[in-house]
Amino acid sequence: MPKIINKKVDIVLVGLGWVNSVMGMELAETGLTMLALERGEDRNTVPDFAFPKMADELSYAVRLKLMQNLSSGTVTVRRNEQETALPYRTMGAFLPGTGVGGSGVHWGAYTFRPLPVEMRLRSYVVEKFGVEIIPEDMTIQDYPISYEEIEPFLTRFEQIVGVSGIAGNVKGEKVAGGNPFEGYRSAPLPLPPLKKTYNVSLFESAVKSMGYNPYPTPAGIASGSYTNLYGMQLGPCNFCGFCDHYGCLNYSKASPQTCVMDALKHKENFSYKTNCEVTRVNLDNTGTKATGVTYIDPQGKEVEQPADLVILGAFPFTNVRLLLLSGIGKPYNPKKNEGQVGRNLAYQSTGAVSITFLDKKFNTFIGAGSNSVGIDDFSISQIDFLKEGFIGGGIIKTSQSGNGPIKGTSVPAGTPKWGSAWKKAIIENYGHGTSVQVHASNMSYRSNYLDLDPTYKDIYGDPLLRMNFNWHDNDMKMLYFMRKKAEEIAKKMGPSSVQSSFKKVGEQFDVRPYQTTHVVGGAIMGDSKKNSVVNKYSQSWDVPNLFIVGASSFPQNMQYNPTGLVGALTLYSAKGIREIYLKSRGPMVHGEE
């Protein structure tokens, strides 16, 4: 069957989640024609998220209806080169989204910004503790952009999202109730913090009595009425409890649908197509210029979409796989420590202390995704790495996003897994439990990377992406440190029972239990082609009219949820495209070859 060739557009955007919805809005003023290609279905707040459709725990929180269909596209996973990678066939460790809005539909809406030291992590470690403490196989590096440079774009993204919270450092002035350890902010957060559920207030009181510094975590959930920079309106959250894993039925949780899409759809120079799977970035005969993309349309036909500028703004796995399938850049070789595409895959280090209070009722069916209070007293910038023997840190927090009767059935340790005793424990404990959670950094290592699988292929005959990943002692030592702190806090809260769940030194990566969907790296940014795939503007070193935007550009993972920094890097890239690239149509940074 001959390939269909579409009419040329100025810009083709691959993926239509947070990155490319914001990118589309920011580039609309150029007047250039833009086409977004999304592999999943179209989704709108109405009718797709409207009540009562979205208030369905079985469909969305258990059967994961908003997530990628693993039967048609997935990754393979192995922990080391002695193992044979096998396909990820059941959603467990991470939950990639699909469809318009991507993972920005089902997220919990934590909208953190990085700590300043996280933008220059390697330099910070070397200057303060010495290069000797960096393990030989650890490949952390600095971002090519400083916190001071990215700060205005972090602020702008927070204003697009409509973040609720308390800014702890506004123009150099510390603000009571905010995070005292955060970096400088050029403006306060747009909305005051969300109201606190009982468990959150209990945690806050406990950590205050221990001399720590609690603050409401920044939430992309509206605490009041808000109109954002694009003219999109959000309404106050009613704590319905259908937040994580769900699309927001109340126009309260930030998502591309709530914050961007209806404004973007009104731009005459923007259009989008759904159920279109991009399979290649097309190159000219020099291999240094993108001529567009090839995709499979909803009828299964192969289509070529010519374009002058290509922007990959999908999930990190998709961005990296397209680079590898298209022959762009040099694939990473861990044995030789050569090549960049696929390098520095990182994840997130987490753990929790589950606690039960027989004398307290938390009404756990209510909540919001980022309804939370945390402490940064053990963050990356507050730990003596030399003394403790690891590099990293995290936030310790509690939250309540809402638990239905299926997933909200936690019971104390020692309870039978089934039968009358289990049923009795469910009845006695439902609504009486909460947890103290650790959400922490994950460093990058020489042996953690992405490449193409030599055995398994997708439905179009292309190799699946292979995830080579295992835990390393450094991050497990950090989790052990954080566990002790979290357990002290949990006990201070006075529970009836305490049960910890943390990985240990030497533990192997397990794809079955959920952790986070914060997979980063593989197409990292840096100051040279020698150490990265893209420059500070997310522009490819190898193909200047190709931009790879998103969490795939992180050199390692910070201690927080990544979306705030992803949004800021998108805005920074868009400004660079408007003000620099479109005037020269060439490399925006001339790094060392």
Side-chain angles (χ1 to χ4, degrees):
M1 183 181 296
K3 182 187 293 186
I4 299 169
I5 301 177
N6 285 345
K7 181 182 177 182
K8 185 178 182 181
V9 295
D10 294 313
I11 304 172
V12 64
L13 306 158
V14 178
L16 194 50
W18 271 122
V19 168
N20 276 338
S21 60
V22 170
M23 185 68 78
M25 277 297 294
E26 296 292 312
L27 296 183
E29 67 182 59
T30 66
L32 298 174
T33 55
M34 295 180 288
L35 172 66
L37 297 171
E38 167 56 48
R39 69 179 176 188
E41 64 186 11
D42 202 356
R43 293 196 180 112
N44 296 288
T45 301
V46 178
D48 299 289
F49 308 155
F51 184 84
K53 180 177 181 179
M54 193 50 59
D56 181 348
E57 185 189 9
L58 182 62
S59 292
Y60 295 99
V62 177
R63 294 176 177 165
L64 305 174
K65 193 173 179 179
L66 294 176
M67 314 308 172
Q68 183 177 333
N69 182 354
L70 298 181
S71 67
S72 59
T74 186
V75 296
T76 66
V77 183
R78 66 175 182 174
R79 294 171 293 195
N80 55 64
E81 293 191 348
Q82 285 68 52
E83 292 185 345
T84 299
L86 295 173
Y88 182 64
R89 288 299 191 199
T90 302
M91 289 288 185
F94 44 87
L95 308 174
T98 191
V100 172
S103 296
V105 171
H106 69 75
W107 70 320
Y110 287 94
T111 317
F112 288 97
R113 51 172 60 193
L115 296 167
V117 299
E118 291 181 298
M119 299 302 292
R120 55 185 306 272
L121 183 61
R122 184 178 176 85
S123 292
Y124 169 74
V125 171
V126 171
E127 292 166 6
K128 189 159 186 176
F129 306 105
V131 70
E132 300 81 13
I133 77 162
I134 301 176
E136 186 179 354
D137 63 340
M138 186 183 286
T139 55
I140 60 173
Q141 64 186 56
D142 296 351
Y143 285 80
I145 180 173
S146 68
Y147 179 84
E148 290 71 24
E149 284 180 281
I150 200 66
E151 195 286 327
F153 303 90
L154 291 163
T155 295
R156 181 172 174 83
F157 187 66
E158 290 161 355
Q159 292 168 347
I160 291 168
V161 164
V163 175
S164 299
I166 299 175
N169 180 353
V170 180
K171 298 181 179 178
E173 295 291 328
K174 296 298 177 80
V175 179
N179 179 8
F181 307 111
E182 71 180 16
Y184 164 95
R185 292 176 180 269
S186 57
L189 289 169
L191 289 166
L194 295 168
K195 293 180 180 179
K196 301 181 183 77
T197 50
Y198 179 32
N199 70 309
V200 171
S201 296
L202 194 66
F203 172 90
E204 184 177 45
S205 296
V207 295
K208 275 185 179 178
S209 71
M210 298 171 76
Y212 297 141
N213 297 274
Y215 66 96
T217 57
I221 298 175
S223 60
S225 300
Y226 180 70
T227 301
N228 77 359
L229 300 179
Y230 298 149
M232 300 290 288
Q233 298 179 343
L234 287 79
C237 176
N238 64 4
F239 282 65
C240 72
F242 296 95
C243 201
D244 283 334
H245 300 87
Y246 305 91
C248 184
L249 53 83
N250 201 49
Y251 291 91
S252 301
K253 182 174 74 170
S255 68
Q257 281 82 353
T258 309
C259 299
V260 189
M261 285 303 299
D262 282 345
L264 181 57
K265 289 175 185 178
H266 282 84
K267 302 296 182 182
E268 293 183 358
N269 54 331
F270 173 83
S271 62
Y272 69 103
K273 295 180 180 180
T274 57
N275 297 301
C276 293
E277 179 87 24
V278 176
T279 59
R280 295 289 187 282
V281 176
N282 303 328
L283 303 175
D284 69 2
N285 55 13
T286 70
T288 61
K289 181 180 179 181
T291 60
V293 300
T294 295
Y295 67 92
I296 308 299
D297 74 6
Q299 290 73 45
K301 298 176 182 176
E302 190 175 45
V303 180
E304 182 180 329
Q305 178 58 63
D308 290 325
L309 178 60
V310 177
I311 300 175
L312 305 184
F315 193 68
F317 287 160
T318 301
N319 282 353
V320 174
R321 183 169 181 251
L322 282 173
L323 293 176
L324 292 168
L325 289 175
S326 305
I328 298 171
K330 186 176 181 180
Y332 177 61
N333 183 326
K335 291 180 180 177
K336 297 181 179 180
N337 200 25
E338 294 177 350
Q340 299 301 332
V341 181
R343 175 174 170 260
N344 280 37
L345 168 67
Y347 196 12
Q348 203 89 62
S349 302
T350 61
V353 182
S354 298
I355 46 181
T356 303
F357 299 79
L358 294 180
D359 62 337
K360 294 178 173 62
K361 190 79 170 177
F362 295 118
N363 293 332
T364 51
F365 55 87
I366 68 168
S370 40
N371 154 50
S372 171
V373 161
I375 61 169
D376 261 19
D377 295 78
F378 306 105
S379 64
I380 284 179
S381 62
Q382 300 303 309
I383 295 176
D384 186 334
F385 299 155
L386 185 61
K387 175 185 174 183
E388 302 299 342
F390 62 79
I391 296 170
I395 178 175
I396 301 176
K397 63 184 178 68
T398 196
S399 63
Q400 184 169 304
S401 62
N403 272 326
I406 301 174
K407 298 196 75 176
T409 53
S410 60
V411 292
T415 302
K417 301 293 184 184
W418 61 282
S420 59
W422 176 79
K423 292 177 183 178
K424 183 174 183 291
I426 290 295
I427 294 169
E428 291 176 348
N429 288 279
Y430 181 78
H432 292 278
T434 185
S435 63
V436 177
Q437 306 140 16
V438 170
H439 192 283
S441 58
N442 184 235
M443 299 300 114
S444 49
Y445 301 91
R446 185 168 170 171
S447 58
N448 288 350
Y449 65 99
L450 298 167
D451 65 355
L452 294 177
D453 192 280
T455 304
Y456 291 95
K457 300 182 184 300
D458 67 9
I459 57 174
Y460 307 116
D462 288 325
L464 294 181
L465 190 71
R466 181 168 61 181
M467 178 181 181
N468 303 269
F469 182 85
N470 210 351
W471 302 118
H472 283 65
D473 289 353
N474 172 83
D475 301 282
M476 299 304 99
K477 289 176 183 176
M478 180 268 295
L479 277 184
Y480 180 71
F481 172 91
M482 301 297 287
R483 172 181 179 163
K484 291 188 292 182
K485 305 301 181 183
E487 287 176 341
E488 289 171 3
I489 294 169
K491 291 172 184 176
K492 185 70 174 179
M493 293 170 70
S496 308
S497 66
V498 176
Q499 182 178 355
S500 293
S501 177
F502 282 80
K503 291 175 282 293
K504 303 176 180 65
V505 173
E507 190 154 338
Q508 303 289 296
F509 176 54
D510 187 343
V511 298
R512 293 171 296 178
Y514 179 69
Q515 176 143 317
T516 73
T517 306
H518 308 153
V519 181
V520 306
I524 67 172
M525 57 169 49
D527 58 11
S528 145
K529 187 175 178 179
K530 287 183 176 181
N531 65 13
S532 55
V533 173
V534 297
N535 62 28
K536 65 193 293 185
Y537 298 102
S538 300
Q539 181 186 36
S540 167
W541 292 109
D542 295 283
V543 181
N545 66 331
L546 171 66
F547 289 75
I548 305 105
V549 191
S552 55
S553 65
F554 287 23
Q556 57 276 327
N557 212 356
M558 57 186 189
Q559 67 179 46
Y560 303 120
N561 309 58
T563 307
L565 181 55
V566 168
L569 292 173
T570 301
L571 292 166
Y572 188 83
S573 176
K575 186 173 188 288
I577 291 171
R578 289 194 314 266
E579 298 181 1
I580 303 173
Y581 174 78
L582 292 177
K583 295 177 181 178
S584 64
R585 303 277 177 166
M588 299 158 70
V589 177
H590 295 278
E592 181 184 357
E593 291 295 324

